[in-house]
Amino acid sequence: MKADELGKEMLAAAKKSLAKDWGKGEAYATPELKRLATCLVDIHALKSQGTVDEQQAKALLRIHRIATESVLLTIEGLGIIAVENAINAAFAAVKETVNKAIGFVLL
Amino acid sequence: MRAVRAFLRLPAPGVLVLAALCAPVPACTVRLIAEYDERTEQEASRLEREMDLFLTRLSSKPATEATYEASGAFYDEHETDVRALRLRAEALPKNEISSRQLGKIEESVRELREAHRGKPLTKQAALVARDLFNISWKAILTLELAKKRA
């Protein structure tokens, strides 16, 4: 069992997995952040037109801040899942070699 | 150290690290975030629809009818259901992100309630609030579905 070869195999599998998952995260984040930007413009317009008073405008802004935090938390969660998938892909890539070399089922 | 390791027939340190990482789970699957929870998905979908319907109905009423007094019971029930879901999420291991998101939804419901208590919500304000709640619920659902790890 050669560390260099195992390392290369693990890295290649992790990279492939991360590339796949990054696309998923980006596909989620892009439209949601655009939607949040639109809502912010809408709140500003409502306040400017006098459609909402200061108290309601502030409440909408706080709800907006919370929604933004929630979207960012999902992006963080998707990132954690991507890392988890990459680790598991790296293990899976060398599973047979490692198990065979050490003589019992480790991975 | 190498001699002792050989004498005791211990595997190399790297193998020990792998063993430690894999120890808690059979077939060596690393888990950094909670497992998918079907109940969370179902309840989040239901609560998203409930808030959407409430704000859609509110937006179609004349301002004189979109009063807080007519909506108090909705807020009580909805907030209780969100809190119950947050408590469930907190009880699941490695589920901090979803728990925090549900806590934030609770906070949003309280904000909306206070704003509404002050004066009736206009149609436009109700529609913006609806969009924002939908973004928050979608964030929760997106993460929960990603936990399915297809």
Side-chain angles (χ1 to χ4, degrees), chain B residues 20-36:
Chain B
L21 271 171
C22 297
V25 209
C28 192
T29 303
V30 174
R31 284 282 177 252
L32 302 176
I33 198 166
E35 295 288 332
Y36 161 74

Side-chain angles (χ1 to χ4, degrees), chain B:
Chain B
M1 187 64 193
R2 207 175 279 173
V4 175
R5 198 176 289 284
F7 176 73
L8 294 173
R9 292 175 180 269
L10 287 173
V15 175
L16 286 177
V17 171
L18 279 179
L21 271 171
C22 297
V25 209
C28 192
T29 303
V30 174
R31 284 282 177 252
L32 302 176
I33 198 166
E35 295 288 332
Y36 161 74
D37 180 50
E38 192 180 354
R39 177 88 178 274
T40 298
E41 186 203 334
Q42 286 171 352
E43 275 297 281
S45 298
R46 185 182 71 78
L47 291 167
E48 178 277 320
R49 191 182 175 281
E50 199 174 272
M51 180 55 90
D52 188 303
L53 185 62
F54 169 70
L55 290 167
T56 301
R57 282 183 177 154
L58 210 60
S59 72
S60 62
K61 285 180 183 170
T64 46
E65 288 175 33
T67 60
Y68 173 75
E69 287 67 31
S71 311
F74 167 81
Y75 285 113
D76 286 342
E77 199 173 317
H78 192 78
E79 206 179 321
T80 304
D81 286 351
V82 176
R83 189 164 43 249
L85 188 57
R86 195 246 308 153
L87 290 171
R88 177 186 169 80
E90 283 176 359
L92 298 171
K94 297 185 179 176
N95 206 27
E96 290 79 10
I97 293 182
S98 297
S99 307
R100 279 173 66 193
Q101 287 178 311
L102 288 163
K104 287 184 182 302
I105 289 264
E106 259 181 281
E107 214 183 304
S108 294
V109 176
R110 284 195 293 270
E111 286 288 350
L112 183 69
R113 184 177 198 152
E114 285 313 305
H116 197 177
R117 204 194 296 267
K119 78 176 218 190
L121 285 180
T122 61
K123 176 185 177 170
Q124 294 90 334
L127 293 177
V128 171
R130 185 184 69 184
D131 287 348
L132 292 170
F133 273 95
N134 282 341
I135 289 171
S136 287
W137 281 116
K138 188 180 168 189
I140 289 168
L141 282 165
T142 299
L143 182 59
E144 203 53 47
L145 290 171
K147 291 177 193 167
K148 274 186 173 175
R149 300 168 175 102

Side-chain angles (χ1 to χ4, degrees), chain A residues 21-88:
Chain A
D21 284 341
W22 171 247
K24 286 183 200 165
E26 199 179 15
Y28 163 73
T30 308
E32 293 312 295
L33 294 173
K34 274 186 190 159
R35 232 165 260 153
L36 282 163
T38 306
C39 287
L40 202 55
V41 172
D42 290 344
I43 296 168
H44 181 257
L46 291 180
K47 179 68 181 71
S48 305
Q49 295 155 5
T51 312
V52 293
D53 62 12
E54 196 173 330
Q55 191 208 351
Q56 288 194 344
K58 280 182 178 170
L60 287 174
L61 283 172
R62 281 192 288 266
I63 295 171
H64 182 279
R65 192 206 63 214
I66 290 167
T68 307
E69 286 169 0
S70 211
V71 167
L72 293 175
L73 281 169
T74 291
I75 294 169
E76 182 189 337
L78 293 176
I80 292 171
I81 291 172
V83 170
E84 183 191 282
N85 287 340
I87 293 170
N88 288 324

